[in-house]
């Protein structure tokens, strides 16, 4: 057995990043993921540079552990092949717009008619049944629709987005977790179900977990002179890495006592009676004033000197890593077409059933004949026994 999802078969009807990231997690954890690709291949294959056609740096990891079947979902000639794949899977993951899925006969009702026990996970921008259920939704759209633009404007003065496809990846994680929860229920009841992950819903829950703040209680709880929404400790441009005598690092005194210890280490005792440090609540509320006090203090020592001090004082601290630093630490593997590449880590570690990279990213349609030759139903060894 390789991975806790060994023996689970997943039909992957996703594209771009959200869905493929979800199915990458399932595949890393042992599932047999068969992705349907058009003749031109998934968008991930050309998302940035790569060493060979079809294999961008993104594709080498997000398509790993999957099998590629090249079928035209709009083709009547290929419809029977798609139905055979549907009949043999435990899970279907789809991120096409609901209207397109219905036209293709790949919506939940159509798939359930072929495979009554299927777990069907569907992700799209807005909830099914809403006015916007069929509206196109990409990461930029969802970030803007769920308060990221407003949050960044309050911090930096101008609406902007986080420089990472946060919504796609958060919702991909939500889809992977939802699939495993539904599989757990199916294991106990032998019944599948329809699982829906509207991106706006998932991201709203994600953003407001802390930023609902004082606006969540009704009536709202005041935050002094600050708006009721927004967690003050992180809603300040001063929450950022600090320059040391020889580099950059992040120091996060998380209590008034830790702040005062940091200041005393640099020879500043004048804050002992400062009302901003009388309680954690007061320190959080005045974060926009407290964080700037660290600027001159942190510059007095080298990064390593501060790391040593913080380790002894129990203050969270870390040297600032660059994106290249992260890449340089990744292990190397050899792809049969693309050559050497860096392998991204799995999202979780399992001691009994470890997640692993079992298959390199496939070429477009590389596994078509193999998957279709398995017949209308993949035979589960447990059923044979």
């Amino acid at each position: 057995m390789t991975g806790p999802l060994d023996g689970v078969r997943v039909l992957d009807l996703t594209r771009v990043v959200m869905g493929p990231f979800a199915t990458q997690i399932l595949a890393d954890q042992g599932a047999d993921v068969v992705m349907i690709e058009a003749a031109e291949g998934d968008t991930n294959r050309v998302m940035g540079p790569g060493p060979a056609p079809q294999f961008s740096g993104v594709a080498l990891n997000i398509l790993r552990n999957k099998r590629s079947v090249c079928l035209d979902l709009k083709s009547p000639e290929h419809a029977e092949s798609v139905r055979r794949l549907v009949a043999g899977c435990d899970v279907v993951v789809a991120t096409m717009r609901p209207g397109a899925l219905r036209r293709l006969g790949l919506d939940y009702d159509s798939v359930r008619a072929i495979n009554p026990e299927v777990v069907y996970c569907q992700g799209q921008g807005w909830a099914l049944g809403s006015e916007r259920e069929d509206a196109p939704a990409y990461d930029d759209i969802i970030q803007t629709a769920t308060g990221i633009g407003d949050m960044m404007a309050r911090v930096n003065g101008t609406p902007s987005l986080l420089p990472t496809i946060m919504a796609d990846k958060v919702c991909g994680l939500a889809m992977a977790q939802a699939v495993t929860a539904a599989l757990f229920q199916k294991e106990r009841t032998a019944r599948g179900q329809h699982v829906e992950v509207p991106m706006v819903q998932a991201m709203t829950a994600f953003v407001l977990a802390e930023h609902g703040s004082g606006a969540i209680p009704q009536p709202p709880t005041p935050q002094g002179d600050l708006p009721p929404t927004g967690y003050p400790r992180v809603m300040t441009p001063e929450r950022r890495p600090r320059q040391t005598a020889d580099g950059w690092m992040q120091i996060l005194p998380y209590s008034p006592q830790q702040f005062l210890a940091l200041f005393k280490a640099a020879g500043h005792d004048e804050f002992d009676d400062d009302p901003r440090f009388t309680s954690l609540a007061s320190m959080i509320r005045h974060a926009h004033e407290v964080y700037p006090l660290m600027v001159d203090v942190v510059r007095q020592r080298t990064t390593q000197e501060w790391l040593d001090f913080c380790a002894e004082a129990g203050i969270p601290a870390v040297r600032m890593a660059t994106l290249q630093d992260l890449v340089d630490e990744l292990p190397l593997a050899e792809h049969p077409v693309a050559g050497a590449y860096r392998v991204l880590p799995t999202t979780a570690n399992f001691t009994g059933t470890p997640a692993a990279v079992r298959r390199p990213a496939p070429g477009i349609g590389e596994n078509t004949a193999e998957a279709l030759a398995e017949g209308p139903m993949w035979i589960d060894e447990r059923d044979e026994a």
Side-chain angles (χ1 to χ4, degrees):
M1 180 181 291
T2 300
L5 295 180
D6 180 58
V8 173
R9 279 67 181 245
V10 178
L11 183 61
D12 184 350
L13 303 176
T14 72
R15 57 191 297 274
V16 193
V17 172
M18 177 177 71
F21 183 50
T23 56
Q24 178 207 317
I25 294 169
L26 300 176
D28 286 351
Q29 294 175 2
D32 178 15
V33 175
V34 175
M35 59 180 182
I36 306 298
E37 291 192 88
E40 64 273 16
D42 187 77
T43 307
N44 289 298
R45 294 189 179 276
V46 294
M47 193 178 292
Q54 304 183 21
F55 295 108
S56 69
V58 173
L60 285 170
N61 279 293
I62 209 167
L63 302 184
R64 71 191 187 197
N65 285 332
K66 303 177 186 180
R67 296 195 284 170
S68 173
V69 171
C70 189
L71 292 172
D72 181 357
L73 295 177
K74 297 179 182 179
S75 165
E77 291 79 10
H78 288 179
E80 179 58 30
S81 296
V82 175
R83 284 193 290 270
R84 292 170 68 197
L85 292 172
V86 166
C89 64
D90 300 293
V91 178
V92 171
V93 183
T95 56
M96 287 179 277
R97 283 187 258 174
L101 288 169
R102 285 190 287 268
R103 289 191 296 273
L104 293 168
L106 292 172
D107 58 301
Y108 175 60
D109 288 339
S110 300
V111 167
R112 184 178 57 175
I114 302 170
N115 185 345
E117 296 178 1
V118 72
V119 168
Y120 184 98
C121 184
Q122 179 174 358
Q124 71 283 325
W126 283 265
L128 293 174
S130 69
E131 292 183 358
R132 303 209 66 184
E133 75 162 23
D134 232 17
Y138 292 90
D139 184 88
D140 295 28
I141 300 299
I142 301 303
Q143 282 203 40
T144 304
T146 56
I148 302 297
D150 172 60
M151 181 169 64
M152 297 301 289
R154 286 166 59 176
V155 171
N156 297 323
T158 303
S160 60
L161 303 180
L162 295 169
T164 179
I165 47 176
M166 176 70 77
D168 277 354
K169 291 182 287 186
V170 166
C171 295
L173 286 165
M175 292 180 74
Q177 188 279 326
V179 165
T180 54
L183 283 170
F184 179 70
Q185 176 69 6
K186 180 181 177 180
E187 186 70 20
R188 296 196 298 180
T189 65
R191 293 195 300 270
Q193 61 181 297
H194 184 202
V195 179
E196 182 196 358
V197 180
M199 296 178 74
V200 163
Q201 179 179 328
M203 275 298 290
T204 295
F206 180 82
V207 170
L208 293 184
E210 83 277 30
H211 287 306
S213 198
I216 295 298
Q218 295 298 305
T221 301
Q223 298 194 94
D225 59 350
L226 300 175
T229 56
Y231 178 39
R233 192 185 73 77
V234 300
M235 292 291 288
T236 168
E238 297 300 333
R239 177 184 177 249
R240 55 188 174 84
R242 298 296 177 189
Q243 190 170 12
T244 66
D246 64 347
W248 292 83
M249 69 181 299
Q250 183 69 42
I251 301 180
L252 182 59
Y254 212 78
S255 68
Q257 294 76 21
Q258 289 182 342
F259 257 109
L260 294 175
L262 185 75
F263 293 149
K264 287 182 179 180
H268 293 276
D269 298 323
E270 65 268 28
F271 299 106
D272 287 356
D273 299 320
D274 193 313
R276 294 172 294 188
F277 298 103
T278 56
S279 69
L280 179 60
S282 178
M283 190 186 76
I284 290 173
R285 188 167 59 251
H286 294 282
H288 61 291
E289 301 171 1
V290 169
Y291 281 136
L293 299 175
M294 297 171 58
V295 175
D296 292 334
V297 168
V298 174
R299 283 179 176 164
Q300 294 179 18
R301 298 188 183 183
T302 66
T303 300
Q304 190 58 53
E305 287 171 340
W306 279 123
L307 288 172
D308 293 341
F309 169 81
C310 289
E312 184 176 346
I315 299 173
V318 68
R319 190 186 306 272
M320 188 180 78
T322 67
L323 293 176
Q324 188 61 51
D325 290 336
L326 299 180
V327 171
D328 291 343
E329 293 178 358
L330 297 176
L332 280 166
E334 192 72 20
H335 189 278
V337 174
Y341 73 104
R342 298 282 186 176
V343 181
L344 296 185
T346 58
T347 56
N349 299 326
F350 300 83
T351 58
T353 53
V357 179
R358 308 178 309 281
R359 292 174 173 266
I364 299 171
E366 180 179 322
N367 311 106
T368 302
E370 165 194 318
L372 297 182
E374 292 170 342
M377 291 292 289
W378 286 318
I379 302 299
D380 193 321
E381 291 80 0
R382 292 170 296 181
D383 294 338
E384 287 184 332

